[in-house]
Amino acid sequence: MIYLDLLINLSLLVSLTIVSGFINKRWPQENKAGVFLQGLLFGTVAVVAMLRPLDLGQGVIIDGRSVVLSLCSLFFGPVAAFISAVMGIICRIFIGGAGTMTGILSVLVSVAIGLAARSFYPVSQRPPSFRFLYLFGVIVHIGILTALMTLPEGRGPEVVANVGVSMLFLYPLATLLAGKILADQLLTFQHVTALQKSEQALEQSVESKQVLLDNIRTQVFYLTGEHRYGAVNQAHADFFGVSKEDLHDKDMYDFMPAEVVDVCRVSNREVFTTGRRVCSEEWATNSSGERRLLSLQKTPKLGPDGQVEYVVCSAEDITEGKAAEEALQRKNQEMERFVYAISHDLKSPLVTIITFLGMLEQDIKAENTQRVGEDIAYMHGAANKMEQLLEALLHLSRVGRTDTMFQTVTVAELIAQSLVSLGGVIKQQGIEVKVEPLTLTLYGDKLRLGQIWQNLIENAIKYRGRQSQPCIEVGSEEGQGETVFFVRDNGKGINPEHHERIFDLFCRLDSQSEGSGFGLALVKKIVDFYGGRIWVESAGLGHGSCFKFTLPKAQRASIETPIKQKEI
């Protein structure tokens, strides 16, 4: 009967301790509320055990409070132990009887041994083993049996003799069972907490990386083997003017023309086939329908089997950079031609001067007065030529300088001033000049803008050929959304192979001509400064020429609010 009562009592205690796991999930023991609730739970369990004890008569009862209070102290610390102990002591006093003081002592012994074991074995860091829990139960109940020896009227030895063997056999097992449940709950809670922290850390890491990717200008995305989009960053979504979600799992053909995608897929297949990184430059069409040149780096992401799972792509828009690079190359080529022209054209008059200095020295010694005059005349001519070349270089270097006041001027005024400057030679040569009515206005350096028309008209006069009725036409026409100015003549004409070379510095197709090869180079630099183009149209010698040019920045600035010179 004693064993049956003890088993019922201990089964109740073990069952109630399971509720502790529920509390620990909702309110972890690191939380003050959790510790307080655990103390209340274990105190309640101890009270329940004390209200259904093994009654040995005359106020002497045996129950499972020692298991509950010792485990509470071991697993949940001093605060929970204090709460449960106070509840147990109050209940024992309420029950009363001769064994009241001994009952209170057993409560204190259970709590003290539990706290001592906790300080020795930190269960929150390392859940206790079977062996530890069993030995812990044995020690606790040896302490309880020792406390029973304090029963009044010498009943201690009798009670110990009646229940000692049962208590040392069953109660450590109950401690082991209930303790193992608590230990497993604690271990599960620790694993779940660690997993939650890992998931939270992973989510934060993914989120922070996504935030980082979304705040860089480089486009980042990955493509599957079917050439469909996986994850993308904001820059790539913005390129197509859609959201990141709109791109996910979509085919590249949904966002770009087929001919663009076909080129892109070639390098994609190379990455999937070789498993190596591929760098390429590819054209893509953005949300505005504008073709942009992208510098792409495609890196394979290998799976556990060593096969390529998907391709991670990073793309930089290099459209402007490529254009600047090409412009720089053109500038370098232009500089090379410039240096060559300078060295060649300046060297010639220097050679002339040096040569005739030697001849002058000989003629002076020979007292040949006539030859001395000729030598000096040649040197004067060479010096004048050099001055002319240096003056041309000076004019060229001043194009685009910001120390000149910009102003609004009509095209008609610029043409009229040019015709006034060239009026003498036009009249002398009997040249007919036809000027269309022009009402357009420009904004810029009036002197440099005027030099465009003056040089082109002067060029037409100079190379009029043997025409009996030389004629020059000046006007403008609209073409592809821009105004194209022109100066047309019926003079010598220019063969097609020279259409580009004539704008090089000091270029002269006719070495016997009186020009320096500077005029058209100056015109081209002025046109370039205003963001325009200049070209010549001619069917060849004997068919005349038509020089055409545009001045978009000068026209735009004249329409809008006047802008600063450095913006042109």
Side-chain angles (χ1 to χ4, degrees):
M1 187 66 181
I2 293 176
Y3 283 102
L4 181 59
D5 287 340
L6 288 173
L7 285 173
I8 293 173
N9 196 283
L10 295 176
S11 297
L12 176 63
L13 299 178
V14 171
S15 299
L16 289 174
T17 56
I18 297 175
V19 181
S20 172
F22 173 77
I23 295 177
N24 202 34
K25 288 182 180 178
R26 293 294 185 92
W27 299 280
Q29 56 180 296
E30 290 83 2
N31 190 301
K32 291 182 179 180
V35 173
F36 179 78
L37 290 174
Q38 292 289 358
L40 286 178
L41 172 66
F42 278 82
T44 302
V45 173
V47 169
V48 172
M50 292 165 69
L51 293 177
R52 194 169 183 342
L54 173 62
D55 193 344
L56 298 179
Q58 298 181 357
V60 179
I61 59 174
I62 302 296
D63 52 61
R65 86 191 81 154
S66 56
V67 176
V68 176
L69 298 176
S70 62
L71 288 175
C72 179
S73 303
L74 176 65
F75 280 93
F76 301 104
V79 175
F82 175 78
I83 295 172
S84 60
V86 169
M87 292 177 66
I89 291 171
I90 293 173
C91 182
R92 187 64 188 87
I93 293 173
F94 175 78
I95 293 172
T100 299
M101 295 305 298
T102 301
I104 294 173
L105 179 61
S106 66
V107 170
L108 297 175
V109 168
S110 299
V111 170
I113 294 176
L115 292 175
R118 180 181 175 85
S119 64
F120 171 76
Y121 194 106
V123 294
S124 60
Q125 300 177 11
R126 183 161 54 102
S129 63
F130 281 98
R131 179 181 177 184
F132 176 86
L133 288 171
Y134 182 76
L135 291 176
F136 174 71
V138 170
I139 294 172
V140 168
H141 292 94
I142 289 175
I144 297 300
L145 291 175
T146 303
L148 288 175
M149 295 299 290
T150 64
L151 285 169
E153 301 178 2
R155 295 194 60 191
E158 178 188 352
V159 172
V160 171
N162 288 335
V163 300
V165 175
S166 301
M167 183 174 288
L168 288 178
F169 175 69
L170 292 177
Y171 277 57
L173 291 178
T175 302
L176 171 62
L177 179 58
K180 190 57 182 172
I181 293 173
L182 291 173
D184 288 346
Q185 290 173 347
L186 177 61
L187 185 60
T188 301
F189 174 75
Q190 289 176 342
H191 286 168
V192 171
T193 303
L195 181 60
Q196 290 175 341
K197 289 181 178 179
S198 297
E199 290 177 349
Q200 185 178 9
L202 180 60
E203 290 176 359
Q204 290 176 347
S205 176
V206 171
E207 183 179 353
S208 62
K209 289 178 180 177
Q210 189 62 49
V211 170
L212 178 64
L213 289 174
D214 286 341
N215 283 277
I216 60 176
R217 298 177 62 184
T218 302
Q219 300 177 40
V220 181
F221 55 96
Y222 77 76
L223 298 170
T224 66
E226 292 76 30
H227 306 285
R228 305 183 76 85
Y229 279 107
V232 304
N233 74 337
Q234 192 61 48
H236 193 61
D238 291 343
F239 184 81
F240 292 110
V242 298
S243 67
K244 294 186 292 184
E245 292 72 20
D246 291 336
L247 278 173
H248 184 70
D249 201 34
K250 294 295 192 304
D251 196 292
M252 297 176 67
Y253 285 107
D254 296 336
F255 297 93
M256 289 185 288
E259 62 273 13
V260 174
V261 178
D262 291 341
V263 174
C264 182
R265 294 181 69 165
V266 172
S267 57
N268 293 348
R269 281 194 292 268
E270 182 179 350
V271 179
F272 277 102
T273 303
T274 64
R276 294 195 299 268
R277 177 183 298 174
V278 172
C279 296
S280 61
E281 292 182 359
E282 300 171 8
W283 288 96
T285 306
N286 64 14
S287 57
S288 303
E290 183 183 3
R291 295 181 75 246
R292 308 292 294 178
L293 183 61
L294 303 180
S295 174
L296 285 138
Q297 181 173 280
K298 302 182 178 182
T299 305
K301 171 62 174 67
L302 303 180
D305 57 356
Q307 299 298 313
V308 179
E309 290 185 340
Y310 54 86
V311 177
V312 180
C313 306
S314 61
E316 292 278 359
D317 190 335
I318 60 170
T319 309
E320 284 75 18
K322 199 71 174 180
E325 180 183 341
E326 293 174 354
L328 181 60
Q329 289 178 348
R330 289 194 298 270
K331 289 291 184 182
N332 288 336
Q333 292 172 356
E334 181 181 335
M335 182 61 70
E336 290 176 2
R337 292 193 299 269
F338 176 78
V339 171
Y340 174 79
I342 290 295
S343 61
H344 179 272
D345 286 73
L346 287 180
K347 186 177 181 180
S348 295
L350 283 175
V351 170
T352 300
I353 292 173
I354 293 172
T355 301
F356 279 94
L357 275 175
M359 295 177 66
L360 177 62
E361 184 179 5
Q362 296 175 4
D363 292 337
I364 290 175
K365 290 180 179 179
E367 297 182 357
N368 189 335
T369 306
Q370 181 181 353
R371 292 291 300 274
V372 168
E374 293 175 358
D375 295 338
I376 293 174
Y378 275 111
M379 287 190 290
H380 268 299
N384 290 336
K385 180 66 174 178
M386 184 178 293
E387 182 182 13
Q388 182 183 8
L389 293 174
L390 292 174
E391 186 68 22
L393 291 174
L394 184 60
H395 280 293
L396 196 66
S397 68
R398 287 176 175 171
V399 174
R401 286 180 57 175
T402 59
D403 56 356
T404 303
M405 290 298 295
F406 281 19
Q407 57 184 298
T408 301
V409 61
T410 65
V411 174
E413 181 182 351
L414 295 174
I415 296 173
Q417 289 179 350
S418 299
L419 294 177
V420 169
S421 300
L422 299 171
V425 66
I426 292 174
K427 185 175 182 181
Q428 181 182 358
Q429 300 297 332
I431 300 172
E432 180 184 7
V433 179
K434 299 178 181 180
V435 181
E436 294 182 2
L438 295 172
T439 59
L440 294 170
T441 60
L442 302 176
Y443 181 77
D445 184 341
K446 181 179 179 180
L447 175 62
R448 301 304 172 196
L449 289 172
Q451 285 179 329
I452 298 175
W453 277 273
Q454 182 166 333
N455 275 280
L456 291 178
I457 295 172
E458 185 177 9
N459 202 63
I461 296 171
K462 190 183 302 179
Y463 298 103
R464 63 189 180 279
R466 299 182 181 276
Q467 290 290 338
S468 59
Q469 295 180 331
C471 178
I472 299 173
E473 298 177 41
V474 182
S476 69
E477 59 190 20
E478 295 298 321
Q480 297 183 350
E482 62 180 354
T483 301
V484 179
F485 302 99
F486 65 82
V487 175
R488 183 183 294 115
D489 65 67
N490 61 350
K492 283 186 176 181
I494 303 170
N495 286 330
E497 62 267 24
H498 300 307
H499 284 186
E500 292 185 10
R501 192 167 72 88
I502 58 172
F503 296 102
D504 291 344
L505 186 62
F506 301 136
C507 174
R508 288 181 296 169
L509 301 182
D510 183 2
S511 59
Q512 303 300 318
S513 67
E514 58 187 75
S516 63
F518 163 74
L520 290 179
L522 175 63
V523 169
K524 184 178 185 305
K525 185 163 185 180
I526 298 172
V527 170
D528 288 344
F529 178 73
Y530 288 98
R533 300 173 295 119
I534 184 169
W535 67 97
V536 63
E537 296 177 356
S538 176
L541 293 177
H543 295 281
S545 303
C546 182
F547 285 86
K548 295 184 176 182
F549 60 95
T550 61
L551 298 168
K553 288 186 178 180
Q555 282 184 265
R556 185 171 66 247
S558 69
I559 298 173
E560 300 171 354
T561 303
I563 58 177
K564 297 179 181 179
Q565 292 174 235
K566 64 180 181 181
E567 295 175 341
I568 293 183

